[in-house]
Amino acid sequence: MSSSVPSPTPSPLDDDLIRLGLVEDQEIVLDEAALALALLDRPEVDLDPYHRTLEEIADSLALAAGETMVAADQAEALSAVLAQEFGFLGDEETYDDPDNADLIRVMDRRRGLPVSLSILYVAAARRLGWHAQVLDVPGHVLVLIGMDEAPVIIDPFAGGARVGAERLAALLQAHSPAEEPVTQVSAMPNRAVLIRLLQNQASRAEQAGRGRRALTLYERMTAMAPEYAHAWWQRARLELVDGDVTTARSSLGTILEITREPKLRSRVSQMLEMLPPP
């Protein structure tokens, strides 16, 4: 990570966030990191039972799959264990409930968003040494199991159902913009998955008129992923709404330090020119 990125100012609860911002992306264990993020809002919760549940999932998965290294068999085992045995399914009835992006509450309720359920699937698979990735699909999140030979895509929100070529094409067509249609999907780095989780919470908070809550979540994003310019932009926007011009100016200045993207730099520069002088 670039040494030029300024260190975010930590709050008393930000130790785990700072560690997430410092470790290499491949060292992040997705479900444990997501639980640590959820704990920031629920510091009284004992995480030991949740960690035991994750261990139980891995044990059941190992028993269900045996020694197979065939992606299709691994995908079937994931669905059997996560969806059927442990009951993790997509929350279709209260999709926008913020609890669906809080892994503590997801594990309590056995319901979640595509991204939170994908975290559970991918982390469980990786515990057994399987190749598993979260896929960034417009308007959705899927999971890829396997690598070169016959990889399989599944949908944790739909109980781990297989996603074939036709279904994937339909998802891409339904959710990608007409002027720039998406024709392929890519695996998400671990930090990007966690950002997606927090982004879901932040957008719902702002829709509910909870701007301060949304700002807190963007502050967490910039602590955990300080090179992620979008979070700094959203943070600056909400800081200005909150009347904190000094902090907003600092956030905008950070964007200029971490990105070379011309359109974003121009947008930030224009915003800085509009601010009152310090």
Side-chain angles (χ1 to χ4, degrees):
M1 190 163 57
S2 170
S3 60
S4 65
V5 178
S7 298
T9 302
S11 73
L13 293 176
D14 278 352
D15 288 348
D16 285 333
L17 291 174
I18 300 302
R19 281 193 289 271
L20 281 173
L22 293 174
V23 300
E24 295 294 330
D25 190 84
Q26 63 268 23
E27 295 177 11
I28 295 174
V29 180
L30 278 174
D31 51 8
E32 293 181 2
L35 282 174
L37 291 174
L39 191 65
L40 294 173
D41 293 318
R42 307 174 190 279
E44 75 287 352
V45 172
D46 179 6
L47 288 186
D48 286 346
Y50 299 90
H51 288 135
R52 285 197 295 271
T53 297
L54 296 178
E55 292 172 1
E56 291 168 4
I57 290 172
D59 290 342
S60 292
L61 189 58
L63 185 63
E67 299 297 323
T68 184
M69 294 305 293
V70 178
D73 294 337
Q74 293 173 348
E76 185 176 345
L78 281 163
S79 176
V81 171
L82 270 298
Q84 298 173 34
E85 180 180 347
F86 284 85
F88 286 104
L89 296 170
D91 186 353
E92 296 182 350
E93 295 183 359
T94 55
Y95 186 89
D96 289 322
D97 189 329
D99 283 351
N100 286 326
D102 176 322
L103 199 63
I104 288 176
R105 295 295 294 135
V106 169
M107 294 184 70
D108 288 340
R109 299 166 63 241
R110 297 298 200 263
R111 293 293 182 271
L113 291 173
V115 64
S116 53
L117 297 173
S118 293
I119 286 172
L120 291 172
Y121 272 68
V122 166
R126 289 175 179 175
R127 279 190 169 83
L128 299 189
W130 300 352
H131 179 83
Q133 298 286 344
V134 179
L135 294 181
D136 185 9
V137 179
H140 204 53
V141 174
L142 300 172
V143 167
L144 175 72
I145 304 297
M147 293 183 69
D148 299 329
E149 296 185 8
V152 173
I153 297 176
I154 58 177
D155 185 351
F157 192 79
R162 292 275 294 267
V163 178
E166 291 185 4
R167 170 63 176 155
L168 181 59
L171 284 171
L172 295 178
Q173 183 176 8
H175 295 287
S176 60
E179 64 276 10
E180 295 183 30
V182 177
T183 58
Q184 59 184 7
V185 296
S186 59
M188 300 174 69
N190 291 323
R191 274 194 188 84
V193 176
L194 297 174
I195 287 289
R196 182 77 162 257
L197 189 70
L198 293 179
Q199 179 67 58
N200 274 286
Q201 295 183 43
S203 62
R204 283 158 175 76
E206 196 162 4
Q207 288 168 7
R210 301 178 62 201
R212 290 284 182 90
R213 166 65 176 166
L215 176 56
T216 294
L217 290 161
Y218 284 115
E219 288 171 347
R220 291 175 185 175
M221 292 183 214
T222 57
M224 180 184 68
E227 291 187 347
Y228 183 55
H230 175 76
W232 285 106
W233 174 263
Q234 296 295 340
R235 175 174 168 171
R237 179 179 61 81
L238 289 170
E239 286 163 346
L240 288 173
V241 171
D242 208 28
D244 190 351
V245 176
T246 300
T247 306
R249 183 181 287 107
S250 176
S251 295
L252 291 168
T254 297
I255 299 174
L256 295 179
E257 293 186 35
I258 64 178
T259 184
R260 303 268 69 86
E261 203 280 309
K263 288 184 179 179
L264 180 57
R265 290 180 62 84
S266 175
R267 190 178 182 189
V268 169
S269 296
Q270 290 175 10
M271 179 67 74
L272 284 169
E273 291 175 359
M274 294 171 60
L275 297 181

